[in-house]
Amino acid sequence: MIVGVGTVALDTVETPAGSVRDVPGGSALYFAAAASRLGPVAVVGVTGEDFPDEPLARLSARGVDVSGIVRVVDPTFRWHARYDGWGNRQVLSVHRGGIVRRSPVVPTAFRNPEALFLGSTAPAVQSEVLDQSGAPGLVVLDTMPHWIVEGRTDLEALLARVDILLVNEEEILMLAAESDEATAAGAVRSLGPRWVVVKRGARGACAYGENARLEVEAVEVEAVVDPTGAGDAFAGGLVASLARTPRPSVAHMREALGVGAAMGARAVGAFSFSGLT
């Protein structure tokens, strides 16, 4: 089984293709929707009592085990962004509240998974989830600029415990305090991860490992409707592809990058995670 943990959110998004308000999103849902296309997946997260039932029912109908998502009295994490025609994003508002710092309980049945994805949320929460997860075969970590700044100490401690780090071009330079991507990836790998995968959006992705540098092009799409969640969908494809290879070879990683790129392309074709279900 693959287990993914992350945010369960309500997104308001404006793009040249249109706009939506309070649609289901968050790293946990995009990851689960993508990974479930390749194998069994369970998802762990915390959301508010105001989060609708339908998105979780939709994932459950696809075979995703959503029993690890719990509801609390805090309001659901909300996020509002606007994208221009080139995919540049302007975040208009973020309402995290206390909910993103709540650590979910990992059900006993979810422990010792073949692969564990620690989606972007507070590093202290990611660490607590890892502590609860027994001995995952593969641990993959994602983060974002907010946590690199606000949770750097916890994040750096967590890097020593993971196999693969997923970041975008901005995040890898910020995390390593370097101006060159390859140098930054090497510096971060020295902290623990065997692979650093840099997501480059419309330019694909690049993976840095020991004596290895792999690149994959983005999959061409007819029209980009909503770029939100593409990175988490990429992670779903990548992790599901590597779930049975806890020490991925160069060949395995190359294949997984391609699957991740395909899932990212599916995600951007529709608002919310509809393109993946």
Side-chain angles (χ1 to χ4, degrees), residues 4-262:
V5 61
T7 53
V8 181
L10 291 171
D11 295 342
T12 296
V13 181
E14 304 172 27
T15 79
S19 62
V20 290
R21 182 175 180 82
D22 286 346
V23 296
S27 55
L29 302 193
Y30 277 99
F31 173 84
S36 66
R37 301 187 68 87
L38 287 91
V41 59
V43 65
V44 176
V46 179
T47 194
E49 293 178 339
D50 54 341
F51 190 82
D53 293 329
E54 187 277 333
L56 300 184
R58 198 187 336 159
L59 287 174
S60 182
R62 289 189 51 81
V64 177
D65 189 333
V66 299
S67 62
I69 293 179
V70 298
R71 296 179 185 271
V72 298
V73 295
D74 289 332
T76 294
F77 171 39
R78 280 177 164 81
W79 180 84
H80 182 184
R82 178 183 296 141
Y83 295 88
D84 65 20
W86 292 271
N88 299 309
R89 182 176 70 193
Q90 178 186 9
V91 177
L92 302 178
S93 65
V94 179
H95 300 284
R96 294 185 175 90
I99 198 164
V100 296
R101 297 188 184 275
R102 286 181 175 263
S103 182
V105 175
V106 178
T108 302
F110 292 5
R111 294 174 185 171
N112 304 312
E114 291 177 305
L116 173 66
F117 173 65
L118 300 171
S120 182
T121 188
V125 171
Q126 293 172 317
S127 182
E128 288 183 37
V129 169
L130 181 54
D131 290 342
Q132 296 178 51
S133 297
L138 181 75
V139 181
V140 181
L141 172 69
D142 198 356
T143 192
M144 63 185 296
H146 175 79
W147 301 119
I148 293 172
V149 174
E150 299 295 330
R152 177 175 282 272
T153 299
D154 291 330
L155 178 58
E156 290 183 353
L158 190 55
L159 287 173
R161 306 174 60 195
V162 308
D163 301 295
I164 301 172
L165 173 67
L166 301 181
V167 283
N168 65 26
E169 295 170 282
E170 174 192 6
E171 292 157 357
I172 187 62
L173 301 181
M174 180 185 298
L175 183 57
E178 296 282 355
S179 58
D180 174 72
E181 182 178 289
T183 302
V188 172
R189 285 189 63 251
S190 71
L191 300 177
R194 293 200 300 272
W195 287 91
V196 171
V197 177
V198 180
K199 299 170 290 184
R200 295 173 167 175
R203 297 191 298 111
C206 186
Y208 298 88
E210 184 177 4
N211 300 317
R213 181 180 183 276
L214 305 173
E215 288 193 71
V216 62
E217 294 183 357
V219 174
E220 188 173 348
V221 296
E222 288 188 11
V224 174
V225 174
D226 178 10
T228 309
D232 298 307
F234 174 93
L238 180 100
V239 174
S241 297
L242 296 175
R244 291 177 176 80
T245 56
R247 297 191 67 87
S249 66
V250 170
H252 282 137
M253 180 58 75
R254 182 180 290 111
E255 179 181 357
L257 290 171
V259 176

